[in-house]
Amino acid sequence: RSFDHLNQHNRAVEAYGEALHIDPKDANAWYLLGLSYTLAGQFDRSISAYRETLRIDPINAEAWSYLGQAYAQAEKYTEEIEAYREALRIDPKNADVWSRLGMGYGATNQYTQAIAAERESLRIDPNRASTWYNLGLEDALNGNRDDAIEAYKILRKLDPKLADQLFDLVIA
């Protein structure tokens, strides 16, 4: 992963390709290849690499989560939602994945489901400023102005700058 840390994603891809030439069933190498493709903005390739990871190791919740993120970047929202749901089937206490699921639902205008997912994320970790922001946004888009204001008030205590962005975007 050192190549990725140095923003040398093409070299990382080459290194993981060599590792996979030696052992094509190395789920971790496929996973890291997916990360490298994601960091390089090659989302279709990252999706393929994550899918191969999951073919070998189908209970890798982190790979399911990153697959969801790659689908989101590729604007394949139905697949994104399904990947996050699978990650949560394996690891139901992952607040980050619940929040990402909420964003996926929001991207498909399924605001009731988005709000439910964001609330589950906050039940697990009530101090996630980004999730309070997302919840406030989803509430506003769903016509729940009072709930959006409540999310803003909590967000204001956690991250005033992010709260100001939410206020400017949906409350003002």
Side-chain angles (χ1 to χ4, degrees):
R1 289 186 64 171
S2 61
F3 288 127
D4 284 327
H5 291 302
L6 298 172
N7 290 324
Q8 296 180 2
H9 309 301
N10 290 335
R11 291 186 66 193
V13 166
E14 288 174 22
Y16 298 130
E18 290 174 21
L20 289 165
H21 182 72
I22 295 167
D23 182 3
K25 294 184 179 181
D26 184 342
N28 191 52
W30 281 108
Y31 171 75
L32 294 171
L33 180 62
L35 286 177
S36 296
Y37 280 136
T38 297
L39 293 170
Q42 298 179 26
F43 304 114
D44 287 337
R45 288 185 173 181
S46 66
I47 289 167
S48 295
Y50 292 133
R51 297 216 49 84
E52 189 62 23
T53 302
L54 293 163
R55 187 186 66 75
I56 298 164
D57 181 11
I59 60 169
N60 185 330
E62 193 170 331
W64 281 108
S65 176
Y66 277 100
L67 176 62
Q69 291 177 50
Y71 278 134
Q73 292 293 326
E75 298 181 356
K76 296 178 179 179
Y77 301 117
T78 301
E79 294 90 341
E80 171 196 11
I81 290 168
E82 289 306 313
Y84 291 143
R85 290 176 64 171
E86 188 62 26
L88 290 167
R89 186 186 66 72
I90 298 163
D91 181 10
K93 296 191 184 299
N94 189 320
D96 182 60
V97 177
W98 277 107
S99 185
R100 290 181 182 282
L101 177 62
M103 290 187 291
Y105 281 131
T108 57
N109 300 322
Q110 298 178 67
Y111 301 122
T112 301
Q113 294 92 328
I115 291 167
E118 301 293 358
R119 289 195 184 282
E120 181 61 20
S121 175
L122 291 168
R123 187 189 65 72
I124 296 165
D125 182 359
N127 294 315
R128 289 179 56 87
S130 61
T131 304
W132 282 108
Y133 176 89
N134 293 339
L135 179 61
L137 181 61
E138 302 298 349
D139 278 328
L141 291 170
N142 200 38
N144 301 330
R145 183 174 170 79
D146 291 343
D147 290 341
I149 291 170
E150 286 305 310
Y152 164 78
K153 288 176 183 176
I154 294 168
L155 181 57
R156 186 96 190 125
K157 296 174 187 171
L158 297 172
D159 187 334
K161 287 184 181 180
L162 196 55
D164 289 344
Q165 291 176 15
L166 178 64
F167 186 86
D168 292 343
L169 187 62
V170 298
I171 298 174

